[in-house]
């Protein structure tokens, strides 16, 4: 095993290259070239690309998690704050949401923050299962939103061709005027739409999950 190479170095280079190549262009061979080693050297550390993606996602989480973990004052702040931090962090990487989605974390460093958030829920009267449901719903909302956002705006200042609301409106049959007009909402205003979606999510969690048990005094 080459002594000059370690897992952290590979992951750091991979995250940097992600901004240049995107997920599709990120290969072990490309990373090896950047590190000036032969591709087989990377297999000492990562059996395949998925193993590398798992470690990249774990490192992304490490970088977005404050230390020490701050215990939220309320479940609303816990959930909304987590979603906001996740979105901001993922937008810092090209295809960040695609890399993070579906990966397996390689250590248990996330447990402290997850415990603090779930504690905020259970202190408010949520059953643990409902707290997990609320958390995973917020996570899925954020990941899905950012995947769609990055399809249109891969990085700040960039915009993918084909997402022009005016061109879309012209291409759609006039009989479907509402669908044509929706392009203005679909392809812009991401910050405002994300916050409004969070508000809907929080209201739904309270109405569906908390109302059945009621808040604790």
């Amino acid at each position: 095993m080459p002594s000059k190479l370690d897992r952290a170095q590979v992951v750091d280079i991979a995250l940097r290259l992600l901004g240049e190549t995107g997920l599709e262009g990120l290969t072990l061979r490309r990373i090896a070239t950047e590190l000036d080693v032969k591709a087989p050297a990377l297999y000492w550390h990562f059996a395949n690309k998925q193993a590398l993606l798992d470690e990249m996602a774990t490192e992304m989480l490490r970088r977005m998690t404050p230390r020490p973990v701050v215990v939220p004052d309320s479940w609303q702040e816990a959930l909304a704050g987590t979603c906001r931090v996740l979105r901001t962090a993922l937008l810092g990487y090209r295809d960040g949401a695609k890399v993070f989605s579906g990966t397996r974390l390689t250590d248990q460093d996330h447990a402290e923050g997850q415990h603090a958030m779930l504690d905020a829920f259970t202190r408010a009267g949520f059953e643990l299962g409902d707290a997990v449901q609320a958390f995973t719903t917020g996570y899925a909302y954020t990941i899905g939103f950012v995947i769609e956002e990055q399809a249109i705006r891969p990085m700040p200042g960039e915009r993918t061709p084909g997402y022009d609301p005016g061109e879309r409106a012209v291409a759609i049959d006039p009989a479907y005027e509402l669908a044509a007009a929706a392009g203005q909402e679909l392809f812009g205003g991401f910050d405002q739409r994300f916050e409004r979606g969070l508000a809907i999510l929080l209201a739904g969690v309270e109405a569906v999950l908390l109302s059945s048990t009621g808040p604790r005094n």
Side-chain angles (χ1 to χ4, degrees), residues 60 90 93-101 142-143 146-147 150:
M60 290 163 68
L90 297 181
Y93 302 93
R94 189 179 301 275
D95 291 332
K98 288 183 179 180
V99 170
F100 204 79
S101 176
T142 305
I143 291 291
V146 178
I147 286 176
Q150 291 188 312

Side-chain angles (χ1 to χ4, degrees), residues 59-165:
E59 178 60 23
M60 290 163 68
L61 183 60
R62 293 187 192 110
R63 295 180 183 185
M64 75 177 79
T65 303
R67 289 288 186 267
V69 171
V70 178
V71 178
D73 292 329
S74 70
W75 68 265
Q76 293 93 334
E77 291 175 355
L79 183 57
T82 297
C83 291
R84 290 183 184 118
V85 168
L86 178 60
R87 174 176 175 252
T88 298
L90 297 181
L91 288 175
Y93 302 93
R94 189 179 301 275
D95 291 332
K98 288 183 179 180
V99 170
F100 204 79
S101 176
T103 50
R104 180 186 62 83
L105 298 178
T106 61
D107 64 30
Q108 304 304 314
D109 287 352
H110 65 282
E112 182 183 1
Q114 190 176 91
H115 171 83
M117 180 173 57
L118 293 174
D119 183 59
F121 277 96
T122 55
R123 284 189 284 106
F126 288 81
E127 298 293 334
L128 178 58
D130 289 339
V132 172
Q133 179 72 63
F135 158 63
T136 54
T137 301
Y139 171 82
Y141 164 67
T142 305
I143 291 291
F145 188 96
V146 178
I147 286 176
E148 294 297 323
E149 181 176 2
Q150 291 188 312
I152 300 168
R153 190 176 61 183
M155 292 293 287
E158 297 182 12
R159 192 173 183 87
T160 305
Y163 287 100
D164 181 85

